[in-house]
Amino acid sequence: MARLLAAVLAILGLLPVANWIAGGHGAPWYSDRLDGWLSGGAIAIGAAVIASIAIRRWPHLWRDGLWTRVAVRWERGGIRADVGLAALVIAIGVVVAHAVLSARPLLIDEIIQVYQARIFATGRLWLPAPAHPEFTSSQHLLDWGGKVFGQFPAGGPALLALGTLVGAEWIVGPLASALCAFLFARLVRRVEPRPGTALAAVLLFAIAPFVVFLGASMMNHITTTAALLAAALALSRATSGSDARTSDAFFVGLALGVAAAIRPLDAAAFAIPTAAWLAWRGRHGRSHIKALLASGIGVFIPVSLLLAVNHAQTGDAFTFGYIAMWG
C-alpha cells in the first residue's frame, strides 16, 4: 500500500491537473517543464546505468554491504550524527548563498521581505509614508493610510530581522535549512525502522537541489518548512503512547502557529488534520483532551501576535497586507 501511494503521488506530481480544471489558474509552461523533466530524468537514469556497469566491472568501487554499514553507524550516532548533518547543510547553504545568490535578495518577494525585516529591526511595524512616494514605491510594498509596509505576513520578515540585527540576513535561510535537516532526521528515526531507508530519505531531503537553493535564498518557504517539521516531530512524540504528552502537544501548536505567522495557508493545510486527529484521540481520556487544549494555546500565541501586527498595519487584524493590496 505504501508503495502504491508513493507511485500515485509521484504520478500526480507530474500531471498538469491545473490545465484540466476550467475557469482557474493554468500552467502554460507545462510542456517546457515536461521536456526538462524528461531530459533530466534520462540523464539521471543514464548516470545510474553507467554507475551500475562500473561497479560490476570494478567491484572495489562499492563493496557489498557498505551502505548498510554506513546506515548502521548513522543510526548508532544518534543526535550527534544528526547535528553533524545539520552542520554540513549549513556549510552548503552558506556556499550557495554567497557563490550563487551573492548573499543578496534577488527576487522581488525577497527584496520586500528584507525591507520589512529592516523596518522590524528598527523597532517599528511600518514607516511613515514619504512626501514623494514615486521615488520609493515598489511592487508588493503598500502605502496604506499613511503607512508603508510590505505585503507579506509578519513571521517571515520577523525571522529575517534576526539576521538584520547581526548584519547577515543571508544566514537565516541556511540556518533554517540546517534545522529542517535535523528535525527531519529526528522524525525519520521515529517512523522508519530500516536504517538504510531512513538515511537515504534524510540525505535526499537535506541535499536535494531544490531545498538547497531555496534554503540559501531569503524566501519564506524554508522557515515555514522548519516550523512544520517541528510540529510533525512534536506530534509524533505527543501521540506515541497511550497517554498524550501535554508539553509536546503545546509545542505542536506553537510550531504550527509560527508557520501560520509566515505562510498561513500552508500552516492551515497541516493544522486542520492535526487538530482533527488530536480531537479524535480525545475520546481516550483526560490526557488527550488536555493535549488538544495545550495545542490550541500553542497556536494562539504566535497567531495573536500576527493578528496584532495586521491590526497595526491595515487597521484590521484579519486583513493581511496582500489582501489589502490585491483583494
Side-chain angles (χ1 to χ4, degrees):
M1 181 60 68
R3 291 171 180 169
L4 176 61
L5 290 175
V8 170
L9 289 174
I11 293 172
L12 289 176
L14 297 174
L15 296 178
V17 178
N19 292 342
W20 300 340
I21 302 175
H25 291 287
W29 41 260
Y30 177 75
S31 59
D32 292 335
R33 297 290 173 85
L34 181 60
D35 290 340
W37 294 336
L38 292 175
S39 60
I43 292 172
I45 293 173
V49 171
I50 293 172
S52 176
I53 294 173
I55 290 173
R56 288 176 180 274
R57 181 168 296 182
W58 299 290
H60 62 277
L61 294 176
W62 187 271
R63 298 179 180 177
D64 289 342
L66 177 60
W67 179 252
T68 300
R69 292 192 295 273
V70 171
V72 169
R73 290 191 63 180
W74 170 76
E75 178 74 14
R76 293 174 178 172
I79 193 170
R80 291 180 298 175
D82 298 339
V83 170
L85 174 65
L88 173 63
V89 171
I90 289 179
I92 295 174
V94 168
V95 170
V96 173
H98 281 268
V100 179
L101 304 178
S102 302
R104 297 179 183 275
L106 304 178
L107 188 66
I108 185 63
D109 293 27
E110 297 175 273
I111 293 170
I112 298 304
Q113 290 186 84
V114 170
Y115 184 93
Q116 184 65 47
R118 294 176 180 178
I119 295 176
F120 286 158
T122 66
R124 300 180 177 184
L125 299 180
W126 44 269
L127 293 178
H132 298 282
E134 60 270 21
F135 293 110
T136 58
S137 64
S138 173
Q139 185 182 9
H140 299 341
L141 192 65
L142 282 86
D143 185 338
W144 184 268
K147 306 172 185 177
V148 173
F149 54 92
Q151 72 163 16
F152 297 96
L159 291 175
L160 282 174
L162 299 177
T164 302
L165 293 175
V166 298
E169 288 138 349
W170 57 266
I171 195 61
V172 174
L175 287 174
S177 296
L179 180 59
C180 285
F182 176 79
L183 293 170
F184 187 68
R186 302 308 298 171
L187 178 62
V188 168
R189 286 179 183 274
R190 296 181 62 86
V191 302
E192 175 53 65
R194 298 165 295 178
T197 302
L199 179 58
V202 169
L203 292 176
L204 178 62
F205 172 78
I207 61 176
F210 187 82
V211 177
V212 170
F213 283 98
L214 195 58
S217 74
M218 299 180 195
M219 298 290 281
N220 58 17
H221 302 77
I222 205 71
T223 48
T224 306
T225 304
L228 293 176
L229 284 171
L233 177 59
L235 182 63
S236 174
R237 292 171 56 88
T239 58
S240 60
S242 57
D243 291 329
R245 300 173 62 172
T246 304
S247 59
D248 285 319
F250 171 78
F251 281 109
V252 172
L254 188 66
L256 289 173
V258 170
I262 306 171
R263 296 180 67 87
L265 288 181
D266 290 1
F270 283 78
I272 292 172
T274 297
W277 188 19
L278 291 174
W280 174 255
R281 290 174 60 90
R283 73 191 194 282
H284 292 308
R286 180 179 299 178
S287 68
H288 298 279
I289 295 295
K290 290 172 60 178
L292 177 63
L293 295 176
S295 68
I297 295 172
V299 168
F300 175 78
I301 295 172
V303 170
S304 63
L305 294 175
L306 172 66
L307 297 180
V309 173
N310 286 348
H311 186 271
Q313 291 178 337
T314 66
D316 183 351
F318 295 97
T319 299
F320 291 85
Y322 56 79
I323 293 177
M325 175 167 279
W326 303 105

